[in-house]
Amino acid sequence: MLGIIAKSLGTGVLTEADPFGGRASFGFPVVDFSRCTACGECAQSCPSGAIQAATPTEGCKTLSLSYAACIQCRACVTACPEKAIGVSDGVEVAAYTREQLAQTASFTVDPETGRATFSQDAVHHGPGLAESAFRLRDRIRGRLGRSLHVRQVDAGSCNGCELEIAATANPLYDLERFGIHLVASPRHADVLLVTGPVTRNMEIALRRTYDAAPEPRVVVAVGTCGCSGGIFGEGTYAAIGGVDRVLPVDVYIPGCPPRPQAILNGLLVAMGVREARILPSREQ
């Protein structure tokens, strides 16, 4: 016993004081649209359809990127001949809507050379991620003394997200210091943390779990599959798709799988959403 205590004292404190201050070991692609020529090589290399190129009208091209469908394989980074795609290291990527995770840019095609040049700023549907992160930090501030009970539901994932969720409870990230606790029953839960594309066999179980959770319940979709169906797609013979095809989703945490810091950030966002529902007058 004394040996264990001595070893613990020698190890010291491992918990990250600021889990969001570090850099993600692998992140999402970031397109420098000013250098992009909309050649479409990145879209052709993307296995999940997160990047899509289109020609809506003659002389005009568009390129869109959705983090909701991105599996962070970096195939687009390698495929880009202009080296216009880099990789971010941010972990505060949680969003309120699936559309917020997407951006689209327009390009004008030179009729003589056929080369496309960037013409318009990227169109963000809803607040951008940076603006959202600022709002979330402001909302989170002062609320960390509250508690949040979380019921995790695997709706058909590969268990990659489950491994990262388990990592949030280790001594390094220590989610319980934020007042966040994992519970065994949805009847005790404030938040449903749902992973994986919703398989057809899990649809009824997921709906019943949602119905069993007391109001005001918050649903968080975790991972690329939870956000958009991922590489499994939507409306297939085995999978319905993203969680929002079955339940109303309040927070999206993209990534394949999302890092523990990103999951922690998303849970703190969910805490803010729940507080806003309980005390709507304070949020106005």
Side-chain angles (χ1 to χ4, degrees):
M1 188 66 175
L2 291 177
I4 295 175
I5 295 175
K7 183 178 179 181
S8 299
L9 292 175
T11 302
V13 178
L14 297 178
T15 304
E16 291 280 354
D18 180 12
F20 313 115
R23 303 177 61 182
S25 55
F26 61 95
F28 288 95
V30 178
V31 181
D32 183 353
F33 289 111
S34 63
R35 297 170 54 191
C36 176
T37 60
C39 64
E41 294 289 337
C42 53
Q44 294 181 14
S45 67
C46 182
S48 62
I51 302 179
Q52 296 187 354
T55 306
T57 59
E58 185 177 358
C60 178
K61 287 186 176 181
T62 61
L63 188 74
S64 62
L65 167 63
S66 173
Y67 286 173
C70 179
I71 60 173
Q72 300 162 279
C73 65
R74 302 190 182 187
C76 56
V77 178
T78 306
C80 180
E82 304 294 335
K83 307 300 180 187
I85 303 179
V87 179
S88 70
D89 56 9
V91 295
E92 296 179 339
V93 292
Y96 298 112
T97 66
R98 189 192 290 201
E99 290 74 19
Q100 189 183 347
L101 294 171
Q103 54 182 312
T104 303
S106 299
F107 298 81
T108 302
V109 181
D110 187 326
E112 296 183 357
T113 64
R115 183 180 177 85
T117 55
F118 175 61
S119 61
Q120 293 185 13
D121 292 335
V123 177
H124 295 276
H125 303 278
L129 286 180
E131 182 183 358
S132 177
F134 177 80
R135 290 184 182 181
L136 301 181
R137 280 195 293 270
D138 184 59
R139 173 176 280 181
I140 289 167
R141 189 176 298 121
R143 299 183 186 276
L144 302 186
R146 305 300 180 91
S147 65
L148 191 74
H149 291 179
V150 179
R151 168 63 181 170
Q152 196 261 318
V153 182
D154 181 349
S157 82
C158 66
N159 287 341
C161 291
E162 274 70 24
L163 291 174
E164 300 300 318
I165 291 171
T168 62
N170 67 22
L172 192 62
Y173 299 107
D174 190 17
L175 84 168
E176 294 205 354
R177 64 178 150 156
F178 297 111
I180 302 172
H181 309 276
L182 297 174
V183 297
S185 170
R187 299 190 186 283
H188 302 156
D190 304 309
V191 170
L192 296 182
L193 196 65
V194 186
T195 62
V198 181
T199 63
R200 298 196 181 278
N201 287 339
M202 279 296 295
E203 179 185 3
I204 295 177
L206 182 59
R207 290 186 188 278
R208 289 179 177 174
T209 302
Y210 178 77
D211 292 338
E215 292 281 4
R217 56 205 165 197
V218 175
V219 178
V220 179
V222 180
T224 299
C225 296
C227 290
S228 67
I231 60 174
F232 300 101
E234 294 187 306
T236 66
Y237 75 97
I240 297 173
V243 178
D244 57 6
R245 302 306 184 200
V246 179
L247 302 179
V249 173
D250 301 287
V251 179
Y252 294 78
I253 307 175
C256 186
R259 303 295 299 154
Q261 304 97 311
I263 296 173
L264 274 176
N265 175 252
L267 286 173
L268 294 175
V269 174
M271 185 182 291
V273 172
R274 186 173 183 276
E275 289 286 337
R277 288 181 179 173
I278 294 176
L279 302 171
S281 59
R282 288 189 180 182
E283 301 297 324
Q284 296 175 354

